[in-house]
C-alpha cells in the first residue's frame, strides 16, 4: 500500500482527501433499524420498489464547478438502471436557490416522508453554499416525493445562522418522539443538532424545533460530522448517534454519542451514552432480537498517538442493542475468522458500510467498503466485503463474500484509484424483500465516478445481471471530476 494514501478529515459527514489527487468526498451509511416510520428503503414514487439516491457532489452545473447534483435511481422488478431516474441540482425547476461554484449540493442527504403523504422525500444539503454575506453558511432543501418521483423543493431555514456555519453538513431522519411522523435532524459546525419534528409542510411550516447538544468540538472542521438514526432499544422511537471530535481529549479523537428517542424528543428521558470511535455508523438488527445494533467503521491507521484506538487496515465495531440501549461490543477486521483478505496498512476497511437483509432470514447483513484496497497491483482500486447476520450476531466464520472490479461478472476492471467501495448501499430495489447491493467507485475515470449494481438472488449477492451506471447516462456532467457515487442518502 502507498503510505498515507488517504487522510480522513472532518468535513460534512466525513471527508476523504487523496493527497495525490485533491479528492474531496462525503460519506454516509444507511440506518435500517425500523422504528415504525423510517423504513429500510426509500420509495420516492410509492410503487413498492426501493429507490436510492447517490451524490455527484463535485459535478459542474451550468458552468459552475463543484456546484453539485444528486441522482435518484428508481427501483424496478429488474433492479436499477440509468433509464429510470431523476437528476437534481439547484438549477432544477422548483428547487430553491441556484447552482454556484463550490456549493457541493448533494454530498449530504437523507430520505423520509416528512409531510406524511405516503411518499418518501429527500432532504439534501449544500453545506458550502454562501447565504448572503455568510460564506459557507449552508442550505438544506427537501425535495418532495410523488407518483412521478422527486420534484419541487422547500428550504429548511437555519434558525441561528449567526451562531455557526455549514448548515446541513450532516442529516438524518426518523421518528424520534414516536408520534408517527418523520422528523429531520440537521448538523452544522456547532455542537448542537437541530431537530424538526411534528410535521414539515411544503410551505415550510414546521410543527416544532428543538436542539440537542453533544460533547464535541466546534468549527469548520468539526461540529456534528455524521448523524445516524435507528431504533436501538426496540421502543419504536428512533435513536440518534452523533459523531464528532470529543472536547475532553487533548488529542480530540473522533467519537460517537447515542441520544435515545423519547416522547419529549431525543435525550429528553436521559440515557445519553458515548460509544465506540469511528466515523461512519449504521444501525440495524443483526441478530434478530428486535433491537437495532450499532455498527461503526474505524478506518484509520495506528500512530504513535493513537495505538489503542486504531488497527492496521481498519476495523468495524458492532455494539449490540438491548432494551436499555447499547450493550456489548465486538470488533471485526480483515483478520477476523474467515473474513476474506487480510488487514494491510491503509486498506481503509470500514471506511464505508451499509446494512440490509440480503437473504430474507430476518437478520441484517453488513457490506463493508475497503476503498483503498490494492487489487492485482492496482493501488487503491478498492474492494467490498459482505458479512451475514445470524442469531449469534455477525458471522465471521463462514459465508462471507468479497468483490472487486476484477471479480468475475463485475463490470469493468480494477484500476488505480478507482476507489471501488467509496460508498456501499444495501436496499431492496427489486421488491422481493431482499436487499441488493450498489457500490460507488467515485474515482472511476479520473474521479468522474460510477455505480455498480449487484442483485440478491434471494440467498446471496450475485454478479449475474450486474450493471455499471456511469455519470453521463444519468445526466451528470463529466466536465471536471463529478465524483458520482461518493455518497448515498441514508
Amino acid at each position: 500500500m502507498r503510505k498515507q494514501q488517504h487522510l480522513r478529515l472532518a468535513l460534512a459527514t466525513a471527508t476523504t482527501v487523496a493527497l495525490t489527487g485533491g479528492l474531496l468526498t462525503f460519506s454516509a451509511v444507511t440506518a435500517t433499524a425500523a422504528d415504525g416510520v423510517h423504513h429500510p428503503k426509500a420509495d420516492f414514487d410509492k410503487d413498492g420498489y426501493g429507490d436510492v439516491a447517490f451524490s455527484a457532489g463535485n459535478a459542474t452545473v451550468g458552468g459552475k464547478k463543484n456546484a453539485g447534483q444528486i441522482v435518484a435511481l428508481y427501483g424496478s422488478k429488474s433492479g436499477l438502471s440509468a433509464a429510470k431516474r431523476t437528476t437534481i441540482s439547484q438549477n432544477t425547476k422548483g428547487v430553491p436557490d441556484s447552482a454556484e461554484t463550490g456549493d457541493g449540493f448533494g454530498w449530504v442527504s437523507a430520505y423520509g416522508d416528512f409531510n406524511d403523504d405516503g411518499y418518501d422525500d429527500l432532504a439534501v444539503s449544500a453545506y458550502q453554499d454562501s447565504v448572503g454575506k455568510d460564506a459557507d453558511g449552508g442550505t438544506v432543501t427537501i425535495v418532495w416525493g410523488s407518483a412521478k418521483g422527486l420534484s419541487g423543493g422547500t428550504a429548511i431555514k437555519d434558525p441561528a445562522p449567526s451562531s455557526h456555519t455549514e448548515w446541513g453538513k450532516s442529516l438524518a431522519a426518523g421518528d424520534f418522539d414516536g408520534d408517527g411522523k418523520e422528523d429531520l435532524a440537521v448538523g452544522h459546525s456547532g455542537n448542537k443538532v437541530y431537530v424538526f419534528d411534528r410535521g414539515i409542510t411544503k410551505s415550510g411550516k414546521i410543527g416544532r424545533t428543538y436542539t440537542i447538544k453533544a460533547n464535541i468540538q466546534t468549527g469548520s472542521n468539526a461540529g456534528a460530522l455524521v448523524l445516524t438514526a435507528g431504533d436501538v432499544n426496540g421502543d419504536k422511537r428512533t435513536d440518534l448517534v452523533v459523531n464528532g471530535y470529543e472536547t475532553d481529549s487533548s488529542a480530540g479523537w473522533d467519537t460517537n454519542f447515542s441520544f435515545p428517542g423519547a416522547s419529549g424528543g431525543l435525550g429528553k428521558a436521559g440515557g445519553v451514552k458515548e460509544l465506540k470511535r469511528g466515523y461512519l455508523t449504521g444501525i440495524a438488527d443483526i441478530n434478530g432480537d428486535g433491537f437495532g445494533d450499532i455498527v461503526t467503521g474505524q478506518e484509520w491507521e495506528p500512530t504513535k498517538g493513537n495505538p489503542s484506538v486504531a488497527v492496521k487496515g481498519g476495523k468495524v465495531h458492532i455494539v449490540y442493542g438491548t432494551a436499555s440501549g447499547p450493550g456489548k461490543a465486538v470488533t471485526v477486521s480483515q483478520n477476523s475468522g474467515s473474513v476474506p483478505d487480510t488487514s494491510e496498512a491503509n486498506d481503509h476497511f470500514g471506511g464505508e458500510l451499509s446494512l440490509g437483509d440480503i437473504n430474507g432470514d430476518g437478520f441484517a447483513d453488513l457490506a463493508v467498503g475497503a476503498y483503498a484496497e490494492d487489487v492485482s497491483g492496482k493501488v487503491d482500486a478498492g474492494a467490498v466485503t459482505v458479512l451475514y447476520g445470524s442469531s449469534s450476531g455477525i458471522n465471521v466464520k463462514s459465508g462471507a463474500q468479497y468483490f472487486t472490479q476484477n471479480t468475475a461478472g463485475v463490470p469493468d476492471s480494477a484500476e488505480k484509484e478507482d476507489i471501488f467501495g467509496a460508498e456501499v448501499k444495501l436496499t431492496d430495489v427489486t421488491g422481493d424483500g431482499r436487499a441488493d447491493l450498489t457500490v460507488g467507485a467515485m474515482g472511476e475515470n479520473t474521479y468522474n465516478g460510477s455505480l455498480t449494481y449487484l442483485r440478491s438472488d434471494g440467498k446471496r449477492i450475485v454478479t449475474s445481471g450486474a450493471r455499471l451506471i456511469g455519470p453521463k447516462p444519468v445526466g451528470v456532467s463529466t466536465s471536471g471530476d463529478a465524483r458520482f457515487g461518493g455518497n448515498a442518502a441514508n
Side-chain angles (χ1 to χ4, degrees):
M1 294 294 293
R2 183 171 51 191
K3 291 183 179 180
Q4 206 175 3
Q5 167 60 27
H6 289 83
L7 173 65
R8 277 279 182 185
L9 298 177
L11 289 174
T13 49
T15 304
T16 309
V17 176
L19 302 181
T20 59
L23 173 62
L24 178 66
T25 185
F26 313 97
S27 308
V29 294
T30 305
T32 54
D35 57 16
V37 176
H38 191 75
H39 303 292
K41 65 178 183 181
D43 191 357
F44 302 124
D45 54 2
K46 201 179 176 182
D47 63 356
Y49 298 106
D51 307 321
V52 296
F54 280 87
S55 66
N58 272 27
T60 298
V61 179
K64 306 295 185 181
K65 293 183 178 180
N66 302 333
Q69 294 172 297
I70 192 163
V71 180
L73 298 171
Y74 301 104
S76 69
K77 188 176 181 180
S78 60
L80 299 177
S81 73
K84 194 178 181 184
R85 49 85 181 174
T86 300
T87 302
I88 303 164
S89 75
Q90 288 176 298
N91 281 357
T92 300
K93 183 179 179 180
V95 174
D97 209 353
S98 59
E100 299 167 310
T101 300
D103 281 353
F105 178 82
W107 271 126
V108 183
S109 60
Y111 72 85
D113 182 8
F114 300 114
N115 62 349
D116 201 28
D117 65 353
Y119 297 94
D120 279 316
D121 314 304
L122 186 64
V124 188
S125 77
Y127 88 102
Q128 291 179 309
D129 196 348
S130 293
V131 182
K133 295 182 179 180
D134 186 6
D136 296 338
T139 58
V140 174
T141 300
I142 295 180
V143 184
W144 302 102
S146 72
K148 295 182 179 180
L150 293 170
S151 64
T154 300
I156 302 300
K157 295 182 180 180
D158 185 347
S162 63
S163 65
H164 53 249
T165 58
E166 299 175 341
W167 177 244
K169 75 188 302 178
S170 54
L171 299 169
D175 184 9
F176 303 121
D177 58 0
D179 67 352
K181 295 182 179 180
E182 198 102 26
D183 311 321
L184 177 64
V186 181
H188 46 78
S189 65
N191 57 7
K192 293 181 180 179
V193 173
Y194 282 81
V195 181
F196 302 93
D197 71 351
R198 299 179 183 174
I200 303 172
T201 70
K202 289 185 178 182
S203 65
K205 183 179 179 180
I206 295 167
R208 178 180 68 156
T209 302
Y210 66 94
T211 63
I212 58 173
K213 186 177 181 180
N215 187 26
I216 56 176
Q217 295 179 15
T218 63
S220 61
N221 290 339
L225 307 178
V226 184
L227 298 176
T228 306
D231 184 9
V232 178
N233 59 10
D235 66 355
K236 299 302 179 183
R237 298 185 181 97
T238 315
D239 310 311
L240 187 71
V241 176
V242 179
N243 169 269
Y245 289 141
E246 61 183 347
T247 59
D248 54 2
S249 166
S250 59
W253 298 122
D254 179 276
T255 193
N256 297 280
F257 294 91
S258 173
F259 288 78
S263 59
L266 286 166
K268 300 302 181 182
V272 178
K273 295 181 179 180
E274 185 171 3
L275 305 174
K276 291 288 186 178
R277 301 178 188 275
Y279 289 115
L280 300 169
T281 296
I283 302 174
D285 187 2
I286 293 171
N287 57 6
D289 63 358
F291 305 111
D293 306 312
I294 302 170
V295 184
T296 300
Q298 186 177 312
E299 61 170 308
W300 60 76
E301 296 293 310
T303 67
K304 184 177 180 180
N306 70 348
S308 65
V309 296
V311 65
K312 184 174 72 173
K315 60 184 175 181
V316 295
H317 303 287
I318 302 171
V319 180
Y320 290 100
T322 71
S324 58
K328 69 175 183 178
V330 299
T331 297
V332 176
S333 74
Q334 288 176 298
N335 288 341
S336 300
S338 297
V339 174
D341 204 49
T342 56
S343 295
E344 301 161 308
N346 299 305
D347 279 349
H348 292 277
F349 179 83
E352 303 295 340
L353 58 87
S354 184
L355 291 147
D357 190 355
I358 294 168
N359 52 17
D361 62 0
F363 306 114
D365 309 309
L366 173 65
V368 183
Y371 60 82
E373 183 78 54
D374 291 355
V375 179
S376 300
K378 305 298 183 181
V379 174
D380 296 349
V384 175
T385 299
V386 177
L387 303 170
Y388 287 83
S390 71
S391 59
S392 58
I394 206 72
N395 184 359
V396 298
K397 295 180 180 179
S398 63
Q401 295 180 275
Y402 184 74
F403 297 97
T404 73
Q405 287 177 301
N406 282 356
T407 300
V410 174
D412 207 18
S413 59
E415 300 164 307
K416 180 182 177 181
E417 291 187 9
D418 277 349
I419 317 179
F420 181 79
E423 178 63 294
V424 290
K425 178 73 173 177
L426 285 170
T427 301
D428 173 19
V429 297
T430 60
D432 64 356
R434 310 292 194 267
D436 310 292
L437 175 63
T438 309
V439 182
M442 68 177 178
E444 187 73 50
N445 294 331
T446 319
Y447 297 105
N448 280 324
S450 69
L451 298 178
T452 298
Y453 164 68
L454 303 172
R455 69 182 181 90
S456 166
D457 70 353
K459 297 180 180 179
R460 295 168 66 77
I461 297 296
V462 295
T463 59
S464 61
R467 294 179 188 142
L468 183 69
I469 302 173
K472 279 189 176 181
V474 297
V476 170
S477 171
T478 55
S479 172
D481 52 352
R483 294 164 197 187
F484 176 49
N487 184 38
N490 62 352

